[in-house]
Amino acid sequence: MEQYVIKGGTPLKGEVEIGGAKNAALAILAAAIMTEDTVRISNVPDVRDTNVLLGAIQDIGATVTREDKNTVVINGAGIHTYSVDYDYVNKIRASYYLLGSMLGRFKKAEVALPGGCDIGSRPIDLHIKGFKALGAEVDISYGLISAKADRLVGNHIYLDKVSVGATINILMAAVLAEGKTVIDNAAREPHVVDVANFLNSMGADIRGAGTESIRINGVSKLHGTDYSVIPDQIEAGTFLFAGVATGGDVTVKNVIPKHLEATTSKLLETGCKVIEFDDAVRVIAAKPYNQTSVTTLPYPGFPTDMQPQMAVVLALANGVSTVTESIFESRFKYVDELARMGASMQVEGNVAIIKGVDKLTGARVQAPDLRAGAALVIAGLAAEGVTIVDDIHYIQRGYELFHEKLQKLGATIEKTSTDKEIQKFILKVS
Ligand code: EPZ
């Protein structure tokens, strides 16, 4: 297993290039097989999740080639099976996007049922509701979801809960259905808009993506395209929070500032300085910074994927803050790890009450999931002394060149895989 080893206390300063959005790329890669033509996609983050999904796409018979580490070329003409192996779904839930794309194109699909995960039970009842509304028969047995339809016919679908995954999966099935589909109470995330723009560049007819009501006129087939994935707002926010927690001055480049509004407005509330450019955002930390309170909400609200990172910033703020997690039921597993670094936090239901402390101290901690793992690295960068973060495979799922980018901002951090390497790092920095 690998670890990050961090010597904390250095204010992060400088510029960091932000990569493509993982959660947009996963859906776009799945949608790329909806045509027999060749599709070229650039700005794809080279992370474990996207690489596992590319493996699944290859496995069902599509050809996948790389022009470079962030540009893939996919051709779905040779797809010969409509069943995605369990071990892909077990590795990444987003493999279930192949349900929507295969059902849309082939009118049949079979994918292993995704389990729960580190942050909650994560049901997919809304995905299934949408597929059924379009005329598909959906069967769940033996741990598999099978969907098939003689024809897919457009319908009016209301999502009881705002769901990114359900919105995208239903959208993909609807673009090749006959007639008109309306998805109401749809998710409005930038990556939903990106998938809709991608499909429209393939000849789909989707309007209203980014609003709560998406209207789709079914078309008979889709054609190839050349598309670039939007920047990752969560990667950008993570680096901005690392700058704030360490009392630094960080500029994230290649971003869409509007996508970061909920995140940067919270930083303004803490007293930090935020400067927006056309495709960059700079945040200058105010030390000490003030407490504030945040509730995670569907976009354009504060993103749940930034919740653990925000909690670390608030752990070092003046006064008492609260973080309310309204999207997932167990996204506070990192709190016990942070407490071992001196944070004063207690969780009551879906609210974390955080009493700011003067400093955190380094400790050996475990990443419980992707975003909490990144948050623990931020805590280590801000802490006094040395922090070792275990189970960093979670972090590598969604952050490309994570520790290299932090090093460029002045962080003393290395990736190790043995105790000997850890000891060598500690000797070097002490
Ligand atoms: C996507 O997950 C992201 N993953 C998550 O990012 C992100 O946290 C989440 O959206 C919310 O923004 C990808 O895009 C691959 P949801 P998703 O469906 O689509 C409930 C990360 O760190 N729900 O919007 O699974 C669900 O339980 C990951 O990159 C149902 O009840 O999230 C949750 O409470 C973590 N029934 C709420 O909706 C359903 O059928 C929102 O979930 C579907 C969802």
Side-chain angles (χ1 to χ4, degrees):
M1 301 295 270
E2 293 179 315
Q3 312 81 26
Y4 285 135
V5 197
I6 303 152
K7 168 85 163 50
T10 309
L12 299 190
K13 293 190 191 295
E15 298 183 343
V16 58
E17 301 278 336
I18 298 303
K22 167 183 82 84
N23 292 345
L26 290 170
I28 287 170
L29 293 177
I33 64 160
M34 295 184 75
T35 173
E36 293 183 345
D37 295 351
T38 296
V39 171
R40 181 176 181 275
I41 306 160
S42 51
N43 207 30
V44 176
D46 178 18
V47 294
R48 190 164 154 265
D49 274 10
T50 48
N51 293 330
V52 168
L53 186 58
L54 285 168
I57 289 170
Q58 247 168 338
D59 227 20
I60 61 175
T63 56
V64 173
T65 52
R66 277 187 191 275
E67 274 184 18
D68 60 48
K69 73 181 179 70
N70 299 114
T71 306
V72 291
V73 178
I74 295 173
N75 181 291
I79 290 175
H80 49 69
T81 171
Y82 314 108
S83 177
V84 179
D85 227 50
Y86 171 73
D87 65 347
Y88 288 113
V89 180
N90 191 36
K91 281 179 189 146
I92 62 153
R93 296 171 46 74
S95 309
Y96 61 31
Y97 281 143
L98 290 170
L99 266 175
S101 58
M102 289 195 294
L103 181 63
R105 178 175 165 203
F106 302 110
K107 311 297 182 272
K108 56 185 169 185
E110 185 181 80
V111 175
L113 254 179
C117 77
D118 332 292
I119 57 176
S121 63
R122 304 187 75 180
I124 59 166
D125 56 307
L126 297 175
H127 301 237
I128 293 166
K129 172 181 177 177
F131 294 151
K132 285 183 173 172
L134 294 173
E137 276 173 55
V138 181
D139 171 59
I140 294 184
S141 45
Y142 308 108
L144 293 172
I145 314 168
S146 309
K148 62 177 187 285
D150 298 331
R151 304 167 51 215
L152 290 176
V153 179
N155 204 339
H156 192 137
I157 299 161
Y158 175 78
L159 295 179
D160 316 45
K161 267 182 150 178
V162 175
S163 161
V164 168
T167 301
I168 291 175
N169 237 344
I170 297 164
L171 178 64
M172 288 193 285
V175 295
L176 290 174
E178 295 162 35
K180 183 171 182 176
T181 295
V182 176
I183 305 173
D184 268 336
N185 199 24
R188 299 163 54 186
E189 271 69 4
H191 38 288
V192 172
V193 178
D194 210 23
V195 181
N197 291 340
F198 171 73
L199 286 164
N200 280 342
S201 77
M202 293 170 76
D205 179 357
I206 304 165
R207 306 202 184 142
T211 73
E212 72 284 351
S213 183
I214 302 178
R215 298 176 306 288
I216 304 116
N217 291 312
V219 295
S220 53
K221 67 187 293 190
L222 298 174
H223 53 70
T225 187
D226 189 333
Y227 194 82
S228 182
V229 175
I230 54 166
D232 193 319
Q233 68 188 81
I234 305 301
E235 182 194 16
T238 302
F239 281 106
L240 289 176
F241 280 14
V244 171
T246 57
D249 174 353
V250 168
T251 300
V252 289
K253 297 185 69 180
N254 291 342
V255 297
I256 300 171
K258 175 132 186 70
H259 293 169
L260 287 166
E261 246 169 19
T263 302
T264 48
S265 73
K266 276 301 159 191
L267 291 175
L268 282 169
E269 287 175 26
T270 64
C272 295
K273 194 170 175 203
V274 176
I275 308 163
E276 287 190 1
F277 305 89
D278 286 349
D279 63 354
V281 175
R282 179 181 177 189
V283 174
I284 303 165
K287 274 272 183 180
Y289 40 81
N290 316 319
Q291 58 68 239
T292 185
S293 287
V294 65
T295 298
T296 65
L297 287 168
Y299 191 85
F302 188 88
T304 175
D305 291 348
M306 287 299 304
Q307 181 259 87
Q309 302 91 312
M310 183 83 217
V312 172
V313 166
L314 296 175
L316 289 162
N318 261 344
V320 179
S321 305
T322 60
V323 173
T324 303
E325 172 56 57
S326 78
I327 307 286
F328 292 111
E329 64 268 31
S330 58
R331 200 164 199 174
F332 286 123
K333 283 184 187 154
Y334 61 89
V335 167
D336 295 339
E337 295 300 280
L338 268 186
R340 297 178 55 242
M341 298 178 72
S344 171
M345 299 173 75
Q346 68 189 78
V347 177
E348 292 177 15
N350 68 336
V351 182
I353 298 147
I354 305 170
K355 189 173 173 303
V357 294
D358 293 339
K359 67 175 181 177
L360 296 174
T361 51
R364 183 150 195 170
V365 291
Q366 274 191 302
D369 62 68
L370 164 58
R371 306 301 176 184
L376 289 171
V377 170
I378 294 175
L381 292 166
E384 192 177 273
V386 173
T387 295
I388 300 166
V389 181
D390 285 313
D391 293 341
I392 62 170
H393 58 88
Y394 283 115
I395 303 172
Q396 292 163 330
R397 292 184 54 170
Y399 291 94
E400 182 178 353
L401 299 173
F402 190 50
H403 74 282
E404 293 91 339
K405 290 185 179 183
L406 287 168
Q407 285 168 343
K408 276 200 190 129
L409 292 170
T412 307
I413 178 174
E414 281 180 19
K415 184 169 69 174
T416 57
S417 52
T418 64
D419 281 343
K420 193 163 170 249
E421 287 174 358
I422 292 172
Q423 292 318 316
K424 206 169 137 200
F425 176 90
I426 292 171
L427 269 177
K428 187 168 69 173
V429 300
S430 51

